[in-house]
Amino acid sequence: MSDELNHPEIDVPEELRRNVAITTLDKIYNWGRRSSVWPMFWGLACCAIEMICTATSRYDLSRFGMEVMRPSPRQADLMIVSGTVTKKLIPQIVRLYNQMGEPKYVIAMGACASGGGPFKEGYNVVSGVDQFVPVDVYVPGCPPTPQALLHGFAKLREKIDTQSVTSVRWYQKAPVEPIPIPLLGPDLINPRDLPALRDRAAQPAAAQS
């Protein structure tokens, strides 16, 4: 492109020589998405208070283009799992994730959402939301500060910058299948594990032991 502009037979104005930008479709596409990520406005536990503080004027989410927190999953493209994820709640989390349109991202905010936190050994807590929905960025802390969540936003923007329209899942020919909703009974059952559970139940008791 620069050789064409410097060719003596092409009369290019001087102001155009200084302002011609060479870019790619991926850069334009990623710039538009990274500059207008809309989080879903919901919270689970104490981490949600820190998330709300991040939206105040002191930390200024507007500079990231993320100040528009939407009350509906169909209008949001970022799920911030901010707090303890219980077995009773994970079916609703997966359902909301499936209702979000592509492209969509997930931030696991805090120790509880990332790995169960101090309640990991509890009977009613999921040891990490990533067992059911794909997580793009983990924000450590118990609870993490608003600055830590801002750092998570920056990392998410860096990830978006590296994506290409030729490889992202929402532009593939095959349809994006929704995540199976976990089954809550006497205990939480992941539908992905049902074939293995059926095979184990079909085995003789002696073989299982």
Side-chain angles (χ1 to χ4, degrees), residues 168-177:
V168 290
R169 64 178 181 268
W170 51 89
Y171 280 141
Q172 303 305 309
K173 293 183 179 179
V176 180
E177 297 295 334

Side-chain angles (χ1 to χ4, degrees), residues 137-181:
V137 176
Y138 297 87
V139 179
C142 188
T145 62
Q147 293 92 332
L149 183 57
L150 290 177
H151 180 71
F153 290 153
K155 288 299 179 182
L156 179 62
R157 287 159 60 93
E158 291 177 7
K159 181 174 182 176
I160 293 175
D161 285 337
T162 62
Q163 293 180 331
S164 173
V165 294
T166 60
S167 59
V168 290
R169 64 178 181 268
W170 51 89
Y171 280 141
Q172 303 305 309
K173 293 183 179 179
V176 180
E177 297 295 334
I179 297 176
I181 305 296

Side-chain angles (χ1 to χ4, degrees), residues 44-45 81 83-93 112-113 116 119 122-129 132 182 184 188:
L44 303 184
V81 185
T84 309
V85 180
T86 62
K87 295 179 180 179
K88 187 176 181 180
L89 185 60
I90 192 64
Q92 280 60 251
I93 292 178
C112 290
F119 312 104
Y123 68 92
N124 66 328
V125 174
V126 176
S127 297
V129 73
F132 297 91
L184 183 61
L188 187 67

